[in-house]
Coordinates of all heavy atoms in Angstrom, one line a residue:
M272 N 134.5 -11.5 10.5 CA 134.3 -12.8 9.9 C 133.1 -12.8 9.0 O 132.1 -12.3 9.4 CB 134.2 -13.8 11.1 CG 133.9 -15.3 10.7 SD 133.7 -16.3 12.1 CE 135.0 -17.4 11.8
S273 N 133.2 -13.4 7.8 CA 132.1 -13.5 6.9 C 131.1 -14.6 7.3 O 131.5 -15.6 7.9 CB 132.6 -13.6 5.4 OG 133.2 -14.9 5.3
K274 N 129.9 -14.5 6.8 CA 128.8 -15.4 7.0 C 129.1 -16.7 6.3 O 129.5 -16.7 5.1 CB 127.5 -14.7 6.5 CG 126.3 -15.4 7.0 CD 125.1 -14.8 6.5 CE 125.0 -13.3 6.9 NZ 123.7 -12.7 6.5
R275 N 128.9 -17.8 6.9 CA 129.1 -19.1 6.3 C 127.8 -19.5 5.5 O 126.8 -19.8 6.2 CB 129.5 -20.2 7.3 CG 129.6 -21.6 6.7 CD 131.0 -21.9 6.5 NE 131.2 -23.3 6.2 CZ 131.5 -23.7 5.0 NH1 131.9 -22.9 4.1 NH2 131.6 -25.0 4.7
L276 N 127.8 -19.5 4.2 CA 126.6 -19.8 3.4 C 126.7 -21.2 3.1 O 127.7 -21.8 2.8 CB 126.4 -18.9 2.2 CG 126.4 -17.4 2.5 CD1 126.3 -16.6 1.2 CD2 125.1 -17.1 3.3
W277 N 125.5 -21.8 2.9 CA 125.3 -23.3 2.5 C 124.3 -23.3 1.4 O 123.5 -22.4 1.2 CB 125.0 -24.2 3.6 CG 123.6 -24.0 4.2 CD1 123.2 -23.0 5.0 CD2 122.5 -24.8 3.9 NE1 121.9 -23.1 5.3 CE2 121.4 -24.2 4.6 CE3 122.2 -25.9 3.1 CZ2 120.1 -24.7 4.5 CZ3 120.9 -26.4 3.1 CH2 119.9 -25.8 3.8
S278 N 124.3 -24.4 0.7 CA 123.4 -24.5 -0.5 C 122.7 -25.9 -0.4 O 123.3 -26.9 -0.1 CB 124.1 -24.4 -1.8 OG 123.2 -24.7 -2.9
A279 N 121.4 -25.9 -0.7 CA 120.6 -27.1 -0.8 C 120.9 -27.8 -2.1 O 120.6 -29.0 -2.3 CB 119.1 -26.8 -0.8
F280 N 121.7 -27.2 -3.0 CA 121.9 -27.7 -4.4 C 123.4 -28.1 -4.6 O 123.6 -28.8 -5.6 CB 121.5 -26.7 -5.4 CG 120.1 -26.3 -5.3 CD1 119.7 -25.0 -4.7 CD2 119.1 -27.1 -5.6 CE1 118.4 -24.6 -4.5 CE2 117.7 -26.7 -5.6 CZ 117.4 -25.5 -4.9
T281 N 124.3 -27.8 -3.8 CA 125.6 -28.3 -3.9 C 126.4 -28.3 -2.6 O 126.1 -27.5 -1.8 CB 126.4 -27.3 -5.0 OG1 127.7 -27.9 -5.1 CG2 126.5 -25.9 -4.5
D282 N 127.3 -29.2 -2.5 CA 128.2 -29.2 -1.3 C 129.4 -28.4 -1.5 O 130.2 -28.1 -0.6 CB 128.6 -30.7 -1.0 CG 127.4 -31.5 -0.5 OD1 126.5 -31.0 0.1 OD2 127.5 -32.7 -0.8
N283 N 129.7 -27.9 -2.8 CA 130.9 -27.2 -3.1 C 130.5 -25.7 -3.4 O 130.2 -25.5 -4.6 CB 131.6 -27.9 -4.2 CG 132.9 -27.2 -4.5 OD1 133.3 -26.2 -3.9 ND2 133.8 -27.8 -5.4
M284 N 130.6 -24.9 -2.5 CA 130.3 -23.4 -2.7 C 131.4 -22.7 -3.4 O 131.3 -21.5 -3.6 CB 129.9 -22.8 -1.3 CG 128.5 -23.2 -0.8 SD 127.2 -22.8 -1.8 CE 127.0 -21.1 -1.4
D285 N 132.4 -23.4 -3.7 CA 133.6 -22.7 -4.4 C 133.7 -23.1 -5.9 O 134.8 -22.9 -6.5 CB 134.9 -23.2 -3.7 CG 134.9 -22.6 -2.3 OD1 134.5 -21.5 -2.0 OD2 135.4 -23.4 -1.4
C286 N 132.6 -23.7 -6.4 CA 132.6 -24.1 -7.8 C 131.2 -23.8 -8.5 O 130.2 -24.2 -8.0 CB 132.9 -25.6 -7.8 SG 133.0 -26.4 -9.5
C287 N 131.3 -23.1 -9.5 CA 130.0 -22.6 -10.2 C 129.2 -23.9 -10.6 O 129.7 -24.9 -11.2 CB 130.3 -21.9 -11.5 SG 128.9 -21.4 -12.5
I288 N 127.9 -23.9 -10.3 CA 127.1 -25.1 -10.6 C 126.8 -25.3 -12.0 O 126.4 -26.3 -12.4 CB 125.8 -25.0 -9.8 CG1 124.9 -23.9 -10.2 CG2 126.0 -25.0 -8.3 CD1 123.5 -24.0 -9.7
Y289 N 127.1 -24.3 -12.8 CA 126.8 -24.4 -14.3 C 128.1 -24.6 -15.1 O 128.1 -25.4 -16.0 CB 126.2 -23.1 -14.9 CG 124.7 -22.9 -14.4 CD1 124.3 -22.0 -13.4 CD2 123.7 -23.8 -15.0 CE1 123.1 -22.0 -13.1 CE2 122.4 -23.7 -14.6 CZ 122.0 -22.8 -13.6 OH 120.8 -22.6 -13.2
T290 N 129.2 -24.0 -14.7 CA 130.4 -24.1 -15.5 C 131.6 -24.9 -14.8 O 132.5 -25.2 -15.6 CB 130.9 -22.7 -15.9 OG1 131.4 -22.1 -14.7 CG2 129.9 -21.8 -16.6
G291 N 131.5 -25.1 -13.6 CA 132.6 -25.7 -12.9 C 133.7 -24.8 -12.4 O 134.7 -25.2 -11.9
S292 N 133.6 -23.5 -12.9 CA 134.7 -22.5 -12.6 C 134.9 -22.3 -11.1 O 133.9 -22.4 -10.3 CB 134.2 -21.2 -13.2 OG 135.2 -20.1 -12.8
H293 N 136.1 -22.1 -10.8 CA 136.4 -21.9 -9.3 C 136.4 -20.4 -9.0 O 136.6 -20.1 -7.8 CB 137.7 -22.6 -8.9 CG 137.6 -24.0 -8.9 ND1 137.0 -24.8 -8.0 CD2 138.0 -24.9 -9.8 CE1 137.0 -26.1 -8.2 NE2 137.6 -26.2 -9.4
K294 N 136.2 -19.5 -9.9 CA 136.0 -18.1 -9.6 C 134.5 -17.9 -9.5 O 133.8 -17.9 -10.5 CB 136.6 -17.3 -10.8 CG 136.6 -15.8 -10.4 CD 137.4 -15.0 -11.5 CE 137.4 -13.6 -11.2 NZ 138.0 -12.8 -12.2
V295 N 134.0 -17.7 -8.3 CA 132.6 -17.6 -8.1 C 132.1 -16.5 -7.2 O 132.9 -16.0 -6.4 CB 132.0 -19.0 -7.5 CG1 132.2 -20.1 -8.4 CG2 132.5 -19.2 -6.1
E296 N 130.8 -16.2 -7.3 CA 130.2 -15.3 -6.4 C 128.9 -16.1 -5.9 O 128.4 -16.9 -6.6 CB 129.7 -14.0 -7.1 CG 130.9 -13.2 -7.6 CD 130.5 -12.0 -8.3 OE1 129.3 -11.8 -8.7 OE2 131.4 -11.2 -8.7
R297 N 128.5 -15.7 -4.6 CA 127.4 -16.4 -4.1 C 126.0 -15.7 -4.5 O 125.9 -14.5 -4.4 CB 127.4 -16.5 -2.6 CG 128.6 -17.1 -1.9 CD 129.2 -18.3 -2.6 NE 130.2 -19.0 -1.8 CZ 131.4 -18.8 -2.0 NH1 131.9 -17.9 -2.8 NH2 132.3 -19.6 -1.3
H298 N 125.1 -16.5 -5.1 CA 123.9 -15.9 -5.6 C 122.8 -16.4 -4.7 O 122.6 -17.5 -4.5 CB 123.6 -16.4 -7.1 CG 122.2 -15.9 -7.6 ND1 121.9 -14.6 -7.7 CD2 121.2 -16.6 -7.9 CE1 120.6 -14.5 -8.2 NE2 120.2 -15.8 -8.3
H299 N 122.0 -15.4 -4.1 CA 120.8 -15.7 -3.4 C 119.6 -15.9 -4.4 O 119.3 -14.9 -5.1 CB 120.4 -14.6 -2.4 CG 121.4 -14.5 -1.3 ND1 122.7 -14.0 -1.5 CD2 121.3 -14.8 0.0 CE1 123.4 -14.0 -0.3 NE2 122.5 -14.5 0.6
I300 N 119.0 -17.1 -4.5 CA 118.0 -17.2 -5.5 C 116.8 -16.4 -5.3 O 116.3 -15.8 -6.3 CB 117.6 -18.8 -5.5 CG1 118.7 -19.6 -5.9 CG2 116.3 -19.0 -6.3 CD1 118.5 -21.1 -5.7
F301 N 116.5 -16.1 -4.0 CA 115.4 -15.1 -3.7 C 116.1 -13.9 -3.0 O 116.6 -14.1 -2.0 CB 114.3 -15.7 -2.9 CG 113.6 -16.9 -3.5 CD1 114.0 -18.1 -3.2 CD2 112.7 -16.7 -4.5 CE1 113.5 -19.2 -3.8 CE2 112.1 -17.8 -5.1 CZ 112.5 -19.1 -4.8
G302 N 116.2 -12.8 -3.7 CA 116.9 -11.7 -3.1 C 116.0 -10.7 -2.4 O 114.9 -11.0 -2.1
G303 N 116.4 -9.5 -2.3 CA 115.6 -8.4 -1.6 C 115.1 -8.8 -0.2 O 116.0 -9.3 0.6
A304 N 113.9 -8.7 0.0 CA 113.3 -9.0 1.3 C 113.4 -10.4 1.7 O 113.3 -10.8 2.8 CB 111.8 -8.5 1.4
N305 N 113.6 -11.3 0.6 CA 113.8 -12.7 0.9 C 115.2 -13.2 0.9 O 115.4 -14.4 1.1 CB 113.0 -13.5 -0.2 CG 111.5 -13.3 -0.1 OD1 110.9 -13.3 0.9 ND2 110.8 -13.1 -1.3
R306 N 116.1 -12.4 0.9 CA 117.5 -12.7 1.1 C 117.8 -13.6 2.3 O 118.4 -14.7 2.1 CB 118.4 -11.5 1.0 CG 119.8 -11.8 0.9 CD 120.6 -10.4 0.9 NE 122.0 -10.6 0.9 CZ 122.8 -10.8 -0.2 NH1 122.3 -10.8 -1.4 NH2 124.1 -11.0 0.0
S307 N 117.3 -13.2 3.4 CA 117.6 -14.0 4.6 C 116.9 -15.3 4.5 O 117.4 -16.3 5.1 CB 117.3 -13.2 5.9 OG 115.8 -13.0 5.9
R308 N 115.8 -15.4 3.9 CA 115.1 -16.7 3.8 C 115.9 -17.6 2.8 O 115.9 -18.8 3.0 CB 113.7 -16.5 3.2 CG 112.8 -15.8 4.3 CD 111.4 -15.6 3.7 NE 110.5 -15.0 4.7 CZ 110.2 -13.7 4.6 NH1 110.7 -12.9 3.7 NH2 109.5 -13.1 5.5
S309 N 116.5 -17.0 1.8 CA 117.3 -17.8 0.9 C 118.4 -18.5 1.8 O 118.8 -19.7 1.6 CB 117.9 -17.0 -0.2 OG 116.9 -16.7 -1.2
E310 N 119.1 -17.7 2.6 CA 120.1 -18.2 3.5 C 119.6 -19.3 4.4 O 120.3 -20.3 4.6 CB 120.8 -17.1 4.2 CG 121.6 -16.1 3.3 CD 122.1 -14.9 4.1 OE1 122.0 -14.8 5.3 OE2 122.7 -14.1 3.4
K311 N 118.5 -19.0 5.0 CA 117.9 -20.0 5.9 C 117.6 -21.3 5.3 O 117.9 -22.4 6.0 CB 116.6 -19.5 6.5 CG 115.9 -20.3 7.5 CD 114.6 -19.7 7.9 CE 113.8 -20.5 8.9 NZ 112.5 -19.9 9.4
Y312 N 117.1 -21.4 4.1 CA 116.8 -22.7 3.5 C 117.8 -23.2 2.6 O 117.6 -24.2 1.9 CB 115.4 -22.5 2.8 CG 114.3 -22.1 3.7 CD1 113.7 -20.9 3.7 CD2 113.8 -23.1 4.6 CE1 112.7 -20.6 4.6 CE2 112.8 -22.8 5.5 CZ 112.2 -21.6 5.5 OH 111.2 -21.3 6.4
G313 N 118.9 -22.6 2.4 CA 120.0 -23.1 1.5 C 119.7 -22.7 0.1 O 120.3 -23.4 -0.9
F314 N 118.9 -21.7 -0.2 CA 118.6 -21.3 -1.6 C 119.7 -20.2 -2.0 O 119.4 -19.1 -2.4 CB 117.2 -20.7 -1.8 CG 116.2 -21.8 -1.4 CD1 114.9 -21.4 -1.0 CD2 116.4 -23.2 -1.6 CE1 114.0 -22.4 -0.7 CE2 115.5 -24.1 -1.3 CZ 114.2 -23.7 -0.9
V315 N 120.9 -20.6 -1.9 CA 122.2 -19.8 -2.4 C 123.0 -20.7 -3.2 O 123.2 -21.9 -2.8 CB 122.9 -19.4 -1.1 CG1 124.1 -18.6 -1.5 CG2 122.0 -18.7 -0.1
I316 N 123.5 -20.3 -4.3 CA 124.4 -21.1 -5.2 C 125.6 -20.3 -5.6 O 125.5 -19.1 -5.6 CB 123.6 -21.5 -6.4 CG1 123.0 -20.4 -7.2 CG2 122.5 -22.5 -6.0 CD1 122.7 -20.8 -8.6
P317 N 126.7 -21.0 -5.9 CA 127.8 -20.4 -6.5 C 127.7 -20.2 -8.0 O 127.4 -21.2 -8.6 CB 129.0 -21.4 -6.0 CG 128.3 -22.7 -6.0 CD 126.9 -22.4 -5.6
L318 N 128.0 -19.0 -8.4 CA 127.9 -18.8 -9.9 C 129.2 -18.0 -10.3 O 129.7 -17.3 -9.6 CB 126.7 -17.9 -10.2 CG 125.3 -18.4 -10.1 CD1 124.3 -17.4 -10.4 CD2 125.2 -19.6 -11.1
R319 N 129.7 -18.3 -11.6 CA 130.7 -17.6 -12.2 C 130.3 -16.1 -12.2 O 129.1 -15.8 -12.4 CB 131.0 -18.1 -13.5 CG 132.2 -17.8 -14.1 CD 132.5 -18.6 -15.4 NE 131.5 -18.1 -16.5 CZ 131.4 -18.6 -17.6 NH1 132.0 -19.8 -17.9 NH2 130.6 -18.1 -18.5
P320 N 131.2 -15.2 -12.0 CA 130.9 -13.8 -11.9 C 130.1 -13.2 -13.1 O 129.2 -12.4 -12.9 CB 132.2 -13.1 -11.8 CG 133.1 -14.1 -11.2 CD 132.7 -15.4 -11.6
D321 N 130.4 -13.7 -14.4 CA 129.6 -13.2 -15.5 C 128.2 -13.8 -15.5 O 127.3 -13.2 -16.3 CB 130.3 -13.4 -16.8 CG 130.5 -14.9 -17.1 OD1 130.8 -15.7 -16.1 OD2 130.4 -15.3 -18.3
Y322 N 127.9 -14.8 -14.7 CA 126.4 -15.2 -14.5 C 125.8 -14.5 -13.4 O 124.6 -14.6 -13.2 CB 126.4 -16.7 -14.2 CG 126.6 -17.6 -15.4 CD1 127.4 -17.3 -16.5 CD2 125.9 -18.8 -15.5 CE1 127.5 -18.1 -17.6 CE2 126.0 -19.6 -16.5 CZ 126.8 -19.3 -17.6 OH 127.0 -20.1 -18.6
H323 N 126.5 -13.7 -12.6 CA 125.9 -13.1 -11.4 C 126.4 -11.6 -11.3 O 127.6 -11.3 -11.5 CB 126.4 -13.8 -10.2 CG 125.9 -13.3 -8.9 ND1 126.7 -12.4 -8.1 CD2 124.7 -13.4 -8.3 CE1 125.9 -12.1 -7.0 NE2 124.8 -12.7 -7.1
P324 N 125.4 -10.7 -11.0 CA 124.0 -10.9 -11.0 C 123.4 -10.7 -12.4 O 122.3 -11.3 -12.7 CB 123.5 -9.9 -10.0 CG 124.4 -8.7 -10.2 CD 125.8 -9.4 -10.5
N325 N 124.0 -9.9 -13.2 CA 123.3 -9.5 -14.4 C 123.0 -10.8 -15.4 O 122.1 -10.7 -16.0 CB 124.1 -8.4 -15.2 CG 124.1 -7.2 -14.4 OD1 123.2 -7.0 -13.6 ND2 125.1 -6.3 -14.7
G326 N 124.0 -11.7 -15.4 CA 123.8 -12.8 -16.3 C 122.6 -13.6 -15.8 O 121.9 -14.2 -16.7
V327 N 122.3 -13.7 -14.5 CA 121.1 -14.5 -14.1 C 119.8 -13.7 -14.5 O 118.9 -14.4 -15.0 CB 121.1 -14.6 -12.5 CG1 119.8 -15.1 -12.1 CG2 122.3 -15.5 -12.1
H328 N 119.8 -12.4 -14.4 CA 118.6 -11.7 -14.6 C 118.4 -11.2 -16.0 O 117.2 -11.0 -16.5 CB 118.5 -10.6 -13.6 CG 118.6 -11.1 -12.2 ND1 117.5 -11.8 -11.6 CD2 119.5 -10.9 -11.2 CE1 117.8 -12.1 -10.4 NE2 119.0 -11.6 -10.1
F329 N 119.4 -10.8 -16.7 CA 119.3 -10.1 -17.9 C 119.9 -10.6 -19.2 O 119.7 -10.1 -20.3 CB 119.9 -8.6 -17.7 CG 119.4 -7.9 -16.5 CD1 120.1 -7.7 -15.3 CD2 118.0 -7.5 -16.5 CE1 119.6 -7.0 -14.2 CE2 117.5 -6.9 -15.4 CZ 118.3 -6.6 -14.3
D330 N 120.8 -11.6 -19.1 CA 121.5 -12.0 -20.3 C 120.8 -13.2 -21.0 O 120.8 -14.3 -20.5 CB 122.9 -12.5 -19.8 CG 123.8 -12.6 -21.0 OD1 123.4 -12.7 -22.2 OD2 125.0 -12.7 -20.8
P331 N 120.2 -13.0 -22.2 CA 119.5 -14.0 -22.8 C 120.3 -15.2 -23.3 O 119.8 -16.3 -23.5 CB 118.8 -13.2 -24.0 CG 119.5 -11.9 -24.1 CD 120.1 -11.7 -22.8
K332 N 121.6 -15.0 -23.4 CA 122.5 -16.1 -23.8 C 122.5 -17.2 -22.8 O 122.8 -18.4 -23.1 CB 123.9 -15.6 -24.3 CG 124.8 -15.4 -23.0 CD 126.2 -15.1 -23.6 CE 127.2 -14.9 -22.6 NZ 127.4 -14.4 -21.4
N333 N 122.2 -16.9 -21.6 CA 122.2 -17.8 -20.5 C 120.8 -18.5 -20.2 O 120.6 -19.2 -19.3 CB 122.7 -17.2 -19.2 CG 124.1 -16.8 -19.2 OD1 124.9 -17.3 -19.9 ND2 124.5 -15.7 -18.5
G334 N 119.9 -18.2 -21.1 CA 118.5 -18.7 -20.9 C 117.9 -18.0 -19.7 O 118.3 -17.0 -19.3
D335 N 116.9 -18.5 -19.2 CA 116.2 -17.9 -18.0 C 116.7 -18.5 -16.8 O 115.9 -19.2 -16.1 CB 114.7 -17.9 -18.2 CG 114.0 -17.0 -17.2 OD1 114.7 -16.4 -16.4 OD2 112.7 -17.0 -17.3
I336 N 117.9 -18.4 -16.4 CA 118.5 -19.0 -15.2 C 117.7 -18.6 -14.0 O 117.5 -19.4 -13.1 CB 120.0 -18.6 -15.1 CG1 120.8 -19.2 -16.2 CG2 120.5 -19.0 -13.7 CD1 122.3 -18.8 -16.3
D337 N 117.4 -17.3 -13.9 CA 116.6 -16.8 -12.7 C 115.4 -17.7 -12.4 O 115.2 -18.2 -11.3 CB 116.3 -15.4 -12.8 CG 115.7 -14.8 -11.6 OD1 116.2 -14.9 -10.5 OD2 114.6 -14.2 -11.7
T338 N 114.6 -17.9 -13.5 CA 113.3 -18.6 -13.3 C 113.6 -20.1 -13.0 O 113.0 -20.7 -12.1 CB 112.4 -18.5 -14.6 OG1 112.1 -17.1 -14.7 CG2 111.2 -19.3 -14.4
D339 N 114.6 -20.6 -13.7 CA 114.9 -22.1 -13.5 C 115.4 -22.2 -12.1 O 115.0 -23.3 -11.4 CB 116.1 -22.4 -14.4 CG 115.7 -22.5 -15.9 OD1 114.5 -22.5 -16.2 OD2 116.6 -22.6 -16.7
L340 N 116.1 -21.3 -11.5 CA 116.6 -21.5 -10.1 C 115.5 -21.3 -9.1 O 115.4 -22.1 -8.1 CB 117.7 -20.5 -9.8 CG 119.1 -20.7 -10.5 CD1 120.0 -19.5 -10.3 CD2 119.7 -22.0 -10.1
K341 N 114.6 -20.4 -9.3 CA 113.4 -20.2 -8.5 C 112.5 -21.5 -8.5 O 112.0 -21.9 -7.5 CB 112.7 -18.9 -8.8 CG 113.4 -17.7 -8.4 CD 112.7 -16.4 -8.9 CE 113.2 -15.2 -8.2 NZ 114.6 -14.9 -8.4
Q342 N 112.4 -22.0 -9.7 CA 111.5 -23.3 -9.8 C 112.2 -24.4 -9.1 O 111.5 -25.2 -8.4 CB 111.2 -23.5 -11.2 CG 110.3 -22.6 -11.9 CD 110.0 -22.8 -13.4 OE1 110.8 -23.4 -14.0 NE2 109.0 -22.2 -13.9
A343 N 113.5 -24.6 -9.3 CA 114.2 -25.6 -8.6 C 114.2 -25.5 -7.1 O 113.9 -26.5 -6.3 CB 115.7 -25.6 -9.0
A344 N 114.3 -24.3 -6.6 CA 114.1 -24.0 -5.1 C 112.7 -24.4 -4.7 O 112.5 -25.0 -3.6 CB 114.4 -22.6 -4.8
Q345 N 111.7 -24.1 -5.4 CA 110.4 -24.4 -5.0 C 110.1 -25.9 -5.0 O 109.5 -26.4 -4.1 CB 109.3 -23.6 -5.8 CG 107.9 -23.9 -5.3 CD 106.8 -23.1 -6.0 OE1 107.1 -22.1 -6.6 NE2 105.6 -23.5 -5.8
R346 N 110.7 -26.6 -6.0 CA 110.5 -28.0 -6.1 C 111.2 -28.7 -4.9 O 110.7 -29.6 -4.2 CB 111.1 -28.6 -7.4 CG 110.1 -28.4 -8.5 CD 110.6 -29.2 -9.8 NE 111.8 -28.7 -10.3 CZ 112.0 -27.7 -11.2 NH1 110.8 -27.1 -11.6 NH2 113.1 -27.3 -11.6
Y347 N 112.4 -28.2 -4.6 CA 113.1 -28.6 -3.4 C 112.2 -28.4 -2.1 O 112.1 -29.3 -1.2 CB 114.5 -27.9 -3.2 CG 115.2 -28.3 -1.9 CD1 116.2 -29.3 -2.0 CD2 115.0 -27.7 -0.7 CE1 116.9 -29.7 -0.9 CE2 115.7 -28.1 0.4 CZ 116.6 -29.1 0.3 OH 117.3 -29.5 1.4
W348 N 111.7 -27.2 -1.9 CA 110.9 -26.9 -0.8 C 109.7 -27.9 -0.7 O 109.4 -28.4 0.4 CB 110.3 -25.4 -1.0 CG 109.3 -25.1 0.0 CD1 107.9 -25.5 0.1 CD2 109.5 -24.3 1.2 NE1 107.3 -24.9 1.2 CE2 108.2 -24.2 1.9 CE3 110.5 -23.5 1.6 CZ2 108.1 -23.5 3.1 CZ3 110.4 -22.8 2.8 CH2 109.2 -22.8 3.5
E349 N 109.0 -28.1 -1.8 CA 107.8 -29.0 -1.8 C 108.2 -30.4 -1.6 O 107.3 -31.2 -1.0 CB 107.0 -28.9 -3.1 CG 106.3 -27.5 -3.2 CD 105.6 -27.3 -4.5 OE1 105.3 -28.3 -5.3 OE2 105.2 -26.2 -4.8
E350 N 109.4 -30.8 -1.9 CA 109.8 -32.2 -1.6 C 110.3 -32.4 -0.2 O 110.1 -33.4 0.5 CB 110.9 -32.6 -2.6 CG 111.4 -34.1 -2.5 CD 112.2 -34.6 -3.5 OE1 112.3 -33.9 -4.5 OE2 112.8 -35.7 -3.4
Y351 N 111.0 -31.4 0.4 CA 111.7 -31.6 1.7 C 111.2 -30.7 2.8 O 111.5 -31.1 4.0 CB 113.2 -31.4 1.4 CG 113.9 -32.3 0.5 CD1 114.2 -31.9 -0.7 CD2 114.1 -33.7 0.9 CE1 114.8 -32.8 -1.6 CE2 114.7 -34.5 0.1 CZ 115.1 -34.1 -1.2 OH 115.7 -35.0 -2.1
I352 N 110.5 -29.7 2.5 CA 110.2 -28.7 3.6 C 108.7 -28.5 3.9 O 108.2 -28.6 5.0 CB 110.8 -27.3 3.3 CG1 112.3 -27.4 3.1 CG2 110.4 -26.3 4.3 CD1 113.0 -26.2 2.6
G353 N 107.9 -28.2 2.8 CA 106.5 -28.0 3.1 C 105.7 -28.0 1.8 O 106.1 -28.4 0.8
T354 N 104.5 -27.4 1.9 CA 103.5 -27.5 0.9 C 103.7 -26.2 0.0 O 104.4 -25.3 0.3 CB 102.1 -27.4 1.3 OG1 101.9 -26.1 2.0 CG2 101.8 -28.5 2.3
R355 N 103.0 -26.2 -1.2 CA 103.1 -25.1 -2.1 C 102.5 -23.8 -1.4 O 103.0 -22.7 -1.5 CB 102.3 -25.4 -3.3 CG 102.4 -24.3 -4.4 CD 102.0 -24.7 -5.8 NE 103.0 -25.7 -6.2 CZ 102.8 -26.3 -7.4 NH1 101.9 -26.1 -8.3 NH2 103.8 -27.2 -7.8
E356 N 101.5 -24.0 -0.6 CA 100.9 -22.9 0.1 C 101.9 -22.3 1.1 O 102.0 -21.1 1.3 CB 99.6 -23.3 0.8 CG 98.9 -22.1 1.4 CD 98.5 -21.0 0.5 OE1 98.3 -21.2 -0.7 OE2 98.6 -19.8 1.0
D357 N 102.6 -23.3 1.8 CA 103.6 -22.8 2.8 C 104.7 -21.9 2.0 O 105.2 -20.9 2.5 CB 104.3 -24.0 3.4 CG 103.4 -24.8 4.3 OD1 102.4 -24.2 4.8 OD2 103.7 -26.0 4.5
F358 N 105.1 -22.4 0.8 CA 106.0 -21.7 0.0 C 105.5 -20.3 -0.3 O 106.3 -19.3 -0.2 CB 106.4 -22.5 -1.3 CG 107.5 -21.8 -2.0 CD1 108.8 -22.1 -1.9 CD2 107.1 -21.0 -3.1 CE1 109.8 -21.5 -2.6 CE2 108.1 -20.4 -3.9 CZ 109.5 -20.6 -3.6
R359 N 104.3 -20.2 -0.8 CA 103.7 -18.9 -1.1 C 103.7 -18.0 0.1 O 104.0 -16.8 0.0 CB 102.3 -19.1 -1.6 CG 102.1 -19.5 -3.0 CD 100.6 -19.5 -3.4 NE 100.5 -20.2 -4.7 CZ 99.8 -21.3 -4.8 NH1 99.2 -21.9 -3.8 NH2 99.7 -21.9 -6.0
K360 N 103.4 -18.5 1.3 CA 103.4 -17.7 2.5 C 104.8 -17.2 2.8 O 105.0 -16.0 3.2 CB 102.9 -18.4 3.7 CG 101.4 -18.7 3.6 CD 100.9 -19.5 4.7 CE 99.4 -19.8 4.6 NZ 98.9 -20.8 5.6
E361 N 105.8 -18.0 2.6 CA 107.2 -17.7 2.9 C 107.9 -16.7 1.9 O 108.6 -15.8 2.2 CB 108.0 -19.0 3.1 CG 109.4 -18.7 3.6 CD 109.4 -18.5 5.2 OE1 108.3 -18.4 5.8 OE2 110.5 -18.3 5.7
F362 N 107.6 -16.9 0.6 CA 108.3 -16.3 -0.4 C 107.3 -15.3 -1.3 O 107.8 -14.7 -2.2 CB 109.0 -17.2 -1.4 CG 110.2 -17.9 -0.7 CD1 110.1 -19.1 -0.1 CD2 111.4 -17.2 -0.6 CE1 111.2 -19.8 0.5 CE2 112.4 -17.8 0.1 CZ 112.4 -19.0 0.6
G363 N 106.1 -15.4 -1.0 CA 105.1 -14.3 -1.7 C 104.5 -14.8 -2.9 O 103.5 -14.2 -3.3
R364 N 104.9 -15.9 -3.5 CA 104.3 -16.4 -4.8 C 104.8 -17.8 -5.1 O 105.8 -18.2 -4.6 CB 104.4 -15.4 -5.9 CG 105.8 -15.3 -6.4 CD 106.0 -14.6 -7.7 NE 105.7 -15.5 -8.8 CZ 106.1 -15.3 -10.1 NH1 106.6 -14.2 -10.4 NH2 105.8 -16.2 -11.0
S365 N 104.1 -18.4 -6.1 CA 104.6 -19.7 -6.6 C 105.3 -19.4 -7.9 O 104.9 -18.6 -8.7 CB 103.4 -20.6 -6.7 OG 103.8 -21.8 -7.4
W366 N 106.3 -20.2 -8.1 CA 107.0 -20.2 -9.4 C 106.7 -21.4 -10.2 O 107.3 -21.5 -11.3 CB 108.5 -20.1 -9.1 CG 108.9 -18.7 -8.5 CD1 109.0 -18.4 -7.2 CD2 109.2 -17.5 -9.3 NE1 109.3 -17.1 -7.1 CE2 109.4 -16.5 -8.3 CE3 109.3 -17.2 -10.6 CZ2 109.7 -15.2 -8.7 CZ3 109.5 -15.9 -10.9 CH2 109.8 -14.9 -10.0
L367 N 105.8 -22.3 -9.7 CA 105.5 -23.5 -10.5 C 104.0 -23.4 -10.9 O 103.2 -22.7 -10.4 CB 105.7 -24.7 -9.6 CG 107.0 -25.0 -9.2 CD1 107.1 -26.2 -8.2 CD2 108.0 -25.2 -10.3

């Protein structure tokens, strides 16, 4: 059975938040060592496959989606979860 992921940014994990496409992959806004924290706080979003992962990190035609998402997650954190210092402690740095 696969893990049930949720998002703080959308109720529809089957629809790309940028394009509306129903062909999606789940993107952890903070990956690597912070992947489980992304899942804990809902910092996971559905993205069209060409936006994930390389489109998020490397494709200039998509703008700087990676930074935009990290900043959105931090703004969410600061509004609903804790302080900027708390965010730094949890995720290692501030994106704002």
Side-chain angles (χ1 to χ4, degrees):
M272 177 179 239
S273 66
K274 198 182 297 186
R275 176 99 171 117
L276 297 176
W277 68 282
S278 177
F280 302 102
T281 182
D282 292 330
N283 187 351
M284 290 295 283
D285 297 318
C286 185
C287 176
I288 65 166
Y289 289 105
T290 68
S292 172
H293 291 285
K294 185 175 181 183
V295 297
E296 296 176 353
R297 301 329 189 259
H298 173 66
H299 291 71
I300 294 174
F301 302 98
N305 289 320
R306 186 178 174 91
S307 63
R308 290 180 184 101
S309 283
E310 292 176 3
K311 177 179 178 181
Y312 297 110
F314 298 153
V315 179
I316 58 159
L318 290 177
R319 198 172 69 190
D321 61 321
Y322 278 37
H323 181 260
N325 292 340
V327 170
H328 299 290
F329 304 112
D330 192 343
K332 80 176 185 325
N333 294 332
D335 193 358
I336 293 173
D337 185 51
T338 299
D339 291 346
L340 291 172
K341 285 175 170 56
Q342 289 175 341
Q345 185 172 347
R346 282 192 293 276
Y347 178 92
W348 174 284
E349 291 180 11
E350 185 170 346
Y351 297 106
I352 299 172
T354 66
R355 186 164 295 180
E356 185 57 33
D357 294 336
F358 183 87
R359 280 188 192 112
K360 287 177 184 172
E361 191 76 359
F362 290 97
R364 66 168 276 197
S365 172
W366 290 91
L367 297 176

